[in-house]
Amino acid sequence: MGLLDRFRGGRGRSRTVARGEAAEIAALAEWARARRGVEAFIEPKTTVTDVTAVLVAVDGEWTRRIVGERGARRLAGALKIPVYDVNKTGYPQRMRDYDARRRIEQRRAREREG
């Protein structure tokens, strides 16, 4: 690694990122195959994270992974599911409903234990 490669995004780093993206896409594909009615919502890059994908199943269960810019395009082709830009569509209501149900279930479980 040269002195300035650290600032240019040296070759070793880009291969590692590509492998990481491939691993994340494989994990998302496995998650999607195990559930029904899955849709993908692509979140933009932020100052903290790269481009992420949120997969949401028909019951509202969801998962989020960092996929990167190229990974988002590969995800759409690999999973053959609808892919939306979250800035344009927002998150589906079923995702929020799922989170609300989980919070209620967790609260009731704590009350039974306590």
Side-chain angles (χ1 to χ4, degrees):
M1 178 184 277
L3 178 63
L4 298 178
D5 285 346
R6 184 171 304 194
F7 301 107
R8 289 187 209 132
R11 290 179 183 232
R13 183 180 178 275
S14 63
R15 280 190 216 117
T16 303
V17 170
R19 270 188 243 124
E21 287 175 5
E24 295 298 330
I25 290 171
L28 288 171
E30 184 178 323
W31 190 90
R33 280 192 293 272
R35 286 153 185 86
R36 292 184 316 110
V38 176
E39 296 177 320
F41 295 84
I42 304 300
E43 300 172 317
K45 182 177 183 175
T46 67
T47 57
V48 179
T49 62
D50 201 353
V51 175
T52 55
V54 178
L55 297 188
V56 183
V58 74
D59 67 347
E61 183 181 5
W62 59 275
T63 187
R64 175 182 285 122
R65 302 288 173 134
I66 296 173
V67 294
E69 200 89 21
R70 289 186 322 239
R73 284 187 225 104
R74 285 198 329 228
L75 175 71
L79 297 183
K80 294 180 177 56
I81 60 174
V83 179
Y84 305 103
D85 180 349
V86 80
N87 283 336
K88 294 178 183 174
T89 63
Y91 296 100
Q93 183 62 45
R94 68 183 182 276
M95 184 178 166
R96 291 186 286 278
D97 294 343
Y98 178 82
D99 286 343
R101 282 192 310 270
R102 287 194 55 209
R103 281 191 297 273
I104 290 168
E105 290 168 359
Q106 289 170 350
R107 189 189 74 226
R108 287 178 181 166
R110 281 193 308 270
E111 289 172 355
R112 279 189 297 249
E113 292 173 1

